[in-house]
């Protein structure tokens, strides 16, 4: 399996500096970052937390699709939202204090209880969830019509 990479260029101090992160592997784009927009309103800029949320939600959607497939099920749709929270850390600095995942899917041939079990398995075996194991991750999973 290949590795993926991104590069960030930063200029200045923490409060007055700015940077940009480039998605090198895909060449999908370059995005501005700064600490004030990370800790306050995004003002059109991304943040490490938003990029983690994107990684987590896309990984979990793919992983759930695989878990369903192992049960001979195919989702008509899967929607995953990940909300990553940045908070002050004990002893100073900041930490990612939690990730709240909301997962909704439309899957024929499975009841709510079995779906929740499969969604939990997908979250626990998701490579990004594993990488973020030191963070509190909550999962709200439900079937939709």
């Amino acid at each position: 399996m290949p590795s993926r990479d991104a590069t960030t260029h930063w200029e200045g101090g923490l409060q007055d500096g700015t940077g940009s992160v480039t998605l090198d592997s895909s060449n999908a784009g370059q995005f501005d970052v700064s600490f004030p927009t990370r800790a306050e309103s995004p003002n059109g800029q991304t943040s490490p937390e938003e990029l983690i949320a994107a990684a987590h939600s896309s990984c979990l959607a793919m992983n759930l699709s695989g878990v369903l497939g192992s049960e001979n099920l195919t989702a008509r749709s899967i929607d995953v939202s990940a909300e990553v929270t940045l908070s002050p850390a004990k002893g100073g600095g900041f930490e990612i204090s939690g990730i709240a995942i909301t997962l909704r899917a439309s899957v024929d041939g499975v009841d709510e209880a079995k779906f929740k079990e499969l969604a939990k398995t997908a979250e626990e075996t998701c490579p990004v969830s594993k990488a973020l194991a030191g963070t509190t991750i909550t999962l709200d999973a439900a079937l939709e019509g």
Side-chain angles (χ1 to χ4, degrees), residues 33-104:
V33 293
S34 71
F35 186 76
T37 60
R38 180 181 186 187
E40 299 169 7
S41 175
N43 291 330
Q45 294 186 8
T46 194
S47 67
E49 292 73 30
E50 184 177 41
L51 295 170
I52 289 170
H56 206 170
S57 65
S58 60
C59 185
L60 183 52
M62 288 182 229
N63 204 48
L64 177 59
S65 181
V67 168
L68 290 170
S70 71
E71 298 283 325
N72 295 316
L73 297 166
T74 301
R76 284 184 278 132
S77 67
I78 299 170
D79 293 295
V80 182
S81 172
E83 182 179 340
V84 177
T85 302
L86 180 70
S87 301
K90 292 179 183 175
F94 294 89
E95 67 182 1
I96 293 173
S97 58
I99 301 172
I101 296 171
T102 302
L103 188 156
R104 298 293 181 262

Side-chain angles (χ1 to χ4, degrees), residues 119-142:
K120 182 171 175 46
T121 297
E123 191 280 319
E124 290 171 346
T125 61
C126 169
V128 173
S129 292
K130 289 178 184 180
L132 300 169
T135 301
T136 301
I137 300 172
T138 60
L139 174 64
D140 171 10

Side-chain angles (χ1 to χ4, degrees), residues 8-20 33-36:
T8 298
H9 175 78
W10 186 267
E11 295 179 1
L14 178 61
Q15 293 297 331
D16 64 351
T18 60
S20 62
V33 293
S34 71
F35 186 76

